[in-house]
Amino acid sequence: MTALRIELRRSTALWAGLLVLVSGTGMLALVMSSSVQWTGNSTSAVLGLRLPLAYVWALVVGLAVFQGMRDSRARVTELFDATSRPGWVRLGTLASAVAGVVAVATALLCAGLVANVALGGGFVSAGFVPLLVTVVLALASSVLLGLAVGRLLPHPLTAPVALVATFMVATTAGRALEVTTPGDEISALALLTPVMDAPSSDLVTTSTSVDLGQIAWFTGLGVTAFLLLVARTHLGRLAALVPAGLAVVLALSIMPVKYSDVLVADSIASRLVCEGKVCLSQAHSDDLPRTAAVGRDVLAKLAVLPDAPTEIREDTSAMAHLTAPQRDQKTVYVPSQGYPRVLTMTDDQLRLELLSGAGVAGCSGPNSFNTYEGVVRYLTAGYFNGELAELASEPLLWNSSKLRADIDEAWQQFRGQSAQEQLNRVARARQMLLTCQDSERVLDVLKASR
């Protein structure tokens, strides 16, 4: 313990831990200050750490490489090699100090995120634990690798090159994981880094296969890095590569190749909690009483339709941030992901959102724009509301004079029909929306153009 205390004072261990805390907190504040998932759910908050981790990871590796060159800079390598004390003991103490402090600092950073969620009234569960373990292992093993590289390649350029290389690997891996549809294939090699751009959802987490693959890889990498650090012969250094080789083979055999298998619904946060016929995820259960009151009114208004929906459920599917909300004849799905957040709307805004499309969400993906679909949503919401009113999710249509004129013209054509004909056409439009037929055709039905 005395040697460990000495290393904590003499090495860059404490500075490395401080670097993790300060740079991690700073990058989180910069990247995620306006992100809902940072305060909404502890699991998604820790998952959100993966994006700024690209910077933290590179800085920590660069500092570890610099620390690994200490003996060479002091020109005492041969002196220590000649002592009777085993080299692995001294180097193991150094590795324990630096990697241990970085691991503790990373765990504290994650704990701070969880505490921030708890203090903000967000949802806290044990779902963040696998993400925490993965991040801690990733940074600790990277520190060990940096120490080994610094000891083996004690050149003034080694540290900056290692820092830049790590950052380039992180950014390349992050871009390799960018997709537009759930079925897109991704490179399993990109999952061998701890970096990931977390989606704008507070109901997802990484899949078990990703967690296990990353834990296996970073554990094997850490073992190899430590063996490289203490090895004195070329044969020993070659043998040290075996754990990492086995780990990468195991990890790649586990890792998914489709993005839809990388992220899954958080089994705890997405569990439905119901009040009558209205159900929300456990993470959003605080909004349930208000949503249930609005939902009962929505179901009562939709009851005039043939085969009317009988329940309202939040869409908790893992890919809800990339695809259109689910649709079902008997269910009105609440699209809680994307912007603006439906569950943060006022009662009147929420009511109009659920009534639009006659209880069927649009067929376009989140944060996309379709003029015909928007007009259809305005007309159907106006039918049940008795008059046109702004939809919080479609402000562009309402605030644009040209597009607003198109809505008013379509509304006049729709209202020019008899009450029974209006109901029939809304019911027909609903059936077309359930099967995602062309939005322009649906609008023509409402305007009695066909």
Side-chain angles (χ1 to χ4, degrees):
M1 293 300 293
T2 302
L4 183 61
R5 286 196 298 269
I6 292 173
E7 287 293 1
L8 288 174
R9 291 198 307 268
R10 294 180 57 219
S11 71
T12 59
L14 296 179
W15 288 106
L18 184 63
L19 180 65
V20 170
L21 290 174
V22 173
S23 62
T25 303
M27 291 306 304
L28 278 169
L30 180 64
V31 175
M32 298 183 63
S33 58
S34 61
S35 182
V36 174
Q37 68 262 26
W38 193 10
T39 57
N41 180 5
S42 59
T43 301
S44 51
V46 177
L47 181 61
L49 179 62
R50 296 295 185 93
L51 178 58
L53 201 62
Y55 306 92
V56 180
W57 190 36
L59 291 173
V60 168
V61 169
L63 187 60
V65 171
F66 179 77
Q67 176 62 64
M69 295 188 292
R70 181 179 65 180
D71 290 355
S72 176
R73 293 198 316 273
R75 299 180 180 179
V76 295
T77 303
E78 293 182 0
L79 175 63
F80 282 125
D81 287 343
T83 59
S84 58
R85 187 184 184 191
W88 68 268
V89 174
R90 184 177 61 85
L91 294 173
T93 304
L94 173 64
S96 299
V98 183
V101 170
V102 167
V104 170
T106 306
L108 288 175
L109 182 60
C110 293
L113 284 172
V114 176
N116 183 59
V117 172
L119 293 174
F123 179 74
V124 178
S125 71
F128 73 90
V129 175
L131 299 173
L132 181 151
V133 171
T134 302
V135 171
V136 169
L137 273 176
L139 288 188
S141 62
S142 298
V143 164
L144 293 175
L145 183 61
L147 291 172
V149 170
R151 181 171 174 78
L152 294 174
L153 302 172
H155 190 279
L157 293 179
T158 302
V161 168
L163 189 154
V164 173
T166 303
F167 181 72
M168 291 181 63
V169 168
T171 53
T172 301
R175 290 175 181 173
L177 294 174
E178 293 178 355
V179 298
T180 55
T181 64
D184 287 352
E185 293 189 356
I186 50 95
S187 171
L189 290 174
L191 295 173
L192 296 180
T193 71
V195 179
M196 178 185 296
D197 188 359
S200 58
S201 171
D202 54 2
L203 296 178
V204 299
T205 186
T206 50
S207 64
T208 302
S209 58
V210 172
D211 292 336
L212 292 178
Q214 290 186 334
I215 289 173
W217 160 240
F218 289 123
T219 300
L221 179 64
V223 172
T224 285
F226 180 77
L227 294 177
L228 283 174
L229 178 65
V230 301
R232 292 189 176 185
T233 65
H234 294 299
L235 183 60
R237 289 163 188 163
L238 286 175
L241 300 177
V242 173
L246 294 175
V248 74
V249 171
L250 175 61
L252 292 178
S253 67
I254 298 175
M255 295 291 192
V257 294
K258 285 191 176 181
Y259 185 74
S260 56
D261 296 323
V262 173
L263 295 177
V264 296
D266 184 342
S267 59
I268 303 175
S270 63
R271 185 182 302 135
L272 291 178
V273 179
C274 301
E275 182 176 317
K277 296 181 179 180
V278 179
C279 301
L280 294 182
S281 65
Q282 193 167 349
H284 301 148
S285 58
D286 289 345
D287 294 314
L288 183 57
R290 180 180 73 93
T291 306
V294 174
R296 286 190 291 269
D297 184 29
V298 169
L299 290 177
K301 290 181 180 296
L302 294 175
V304 299
L305 295 168
D307 297 322
T310 57
E311 62 179 3
I312 294 177
R313 290 175 175 265
E314 181 180 357
D315 184 2
T316 59
S317 56
M319 294 292 110
H321 62 285
L322 282 179
T323 59
Q326 299 182 63
R327 54 202 66 245
D328 184 84
Q329 182 82 26
K330 294 298 182 182
T331 304
V332 177
Y333 281 101
V334 180
S336 62
Q337 311 306 314
Y339 296 96
R341 296 278 178 173
V342 173
L343 293 178
T344 62
M345 296 178 181
T346 65
D347 290 358
D348 290 339
Q349 289 174 333
L350 177 59
R351 183 179 294 105
L352 282 174
E353 287 297 323
L354 298 181
L355 289 172
S356 65
V360 182
C363 295
S364 301
N367 309 318
S368 59
F369 184 75
N370 183 317
T371 303
Y372 295 117
E373 184 176 274
V375 175
V376 167
R377 296 184 67 229
Y378 267 101
L379 297 187
T380 48
Y383 171 76
F384 293 103
N385 187 50
E387 61 179 356
L388 288 176
E390 181 180 1
L391 290 172
S393 61
E394 298 283 357
L396 180 60
L397 287 175
W398 189 259
N399 296 321
S400 168
S401 57
K402 181 181 184 304
L403 297 177
R404 175 67 183 278
D406 292 339
I407 296 175
D408 291 335
E409 180 183 354
W411 176 250
Q412 294 303 321
Q413 290 177 281
F414 173 70
R415 295 294 280 181
Q417 306 166 63
S418 66
Q420 184 60 46
E421 184 64 16
Q422 290 179 42
L423 175 60
N424 291 341
R425 290 190 174 274
V426 168
R428 183 179 169 190
R430 170 179 163 80
Q431 295 302 317
M432 296 174 73
L433 289 173
L434 283 170
T435 55
C436 275
Q437 295 187 32
D438 183 69
S439 299
E440 187 174 4
R441 293 181 57 205
V442 179
L443 180 57
D444 287 341
V445 167
L446 291 174
K447 295 191 302 182
S449 299
R450 59 175 65 193

